[in-house]
Amino acid sequence: MAILDSKGRLFGKINLLDLGAVLVILLVIFGIFVFPGTSGSVAQVGTKTVPIEVDLLVRGLNVRDPEQLLNNGLTKGGKTNVIIRNQPYGEIKIKSIQQLPRTVNVFQPDGTVKELPDPKSNNFSTDLLLTLDGKAQVTQNGPVLGNSKVKIGMPFELEGFNYNFNATVIDIRIKDK
């Protein structure tokens, strides 16, 4: 009896292509369980977790009654859900909220410019300055919340009971214990 017959079978029973497919599957399973590689995020390797404050700027939030938003949903000392780069981070504490005044630039006859309160009564746009307080892992590339790096200029999506809007990171403060 020959080792290979005319149909490409080994000892007349096992097809070489089937044997190759079975070996590849076994090697893949072996590789997954014996050498699984790194698990988790890269940010967890050689890092420490420290308290962090992130300042966010919200420009032109269209809301009819900003006071109702600040009293019922988005409150100082409360929590908000944060989404960074379409990845949910979870809840983070709101340390402070400041409603910024709406102003307009008014040119003066002598050529100077003054910043005066906006006289429009039907302006449903508001600006906010928020400070979030949480814990982040600090890597050599900067702070990381969840699996996302936090950098100035990044958009954060804030979501709560009666709101969902975007804000931009304008400052990051790492507080060492």
Side-chain angles (χ1 to χ4, degrees), residues 41-56:
S41 76
V42 177
Q44 296 173 354
V45 179
T47 62
K48 62 179 182 173
T49 303
V50 296
I52 187 173
E53 287 183 357
V54 179
D55 286 340
L56 302 173

Side-chain angles (χ1 to χ4, degrees), residues 118-138:
D118 192 356
K120 290 188 273 183
S121 62
N122 64 348
N123 191 357
F124 297 111
S125 181
T126 188
D127 297 337
L128 300 172
L129 180 62
L130 295 149
T131 301
L132 303 181
D133 196 13
K135 296 204 178 284
Q137 296 174 345
V138 179

Side-chain angles (χ1 to χ4, degrees), residues 74-88:
L74 198 62
T75 58
K76 178 181 174 181
K79 293 191 177 211
T80 185
N81 291 316
V82 175
I83 301 167
I84 307 168
R85 293 187 181 168
N86 294 329
Q87 299 294 321

Side-chain angles (χ1 to χ4, degrees), residues 69-143:
L69 172 68
L70 298 178
N71 291 334
N72 294 334
L74 198 62
T75 58
K76 178 181 174 181
K79 293 191 177 211
T80 185
N81 291 316
V82 175
I83 301 167
I84 307 168
R85 293 187 181 168
N86 294 329
Q87 299 294 321
Y89 167 69
E91 285 190 336
I92 193 166
K93 184 180 175 194
I94 302 171
K95 184 174 181 180
S96 69
I97 301 173
Q98 179 184 356
Q99 188 173 354
L100 302 175
R102 298 289 294 184
T103 59
V104 293
N105 292 331
V106 179
F107 293 95
Q108 301 299 308
D110 63 356
T112 61
V113 177
K114 283 189 179 178
E115 189 175 15
L116 298 174
D118 192 356
K120 290 188 273 183
S121 62
N122 64 348
N123 191 357
F124 297 111
S125 181
T126 188
D127 297 337
L128 300 172
L129 180 62
L130 295 149
T131 301
L132 303 181
D133 196 13
K135 296 204 178 284
Q137 296 174 345
V138 179
T139 66
Q140 62 185 358
N141 295 329

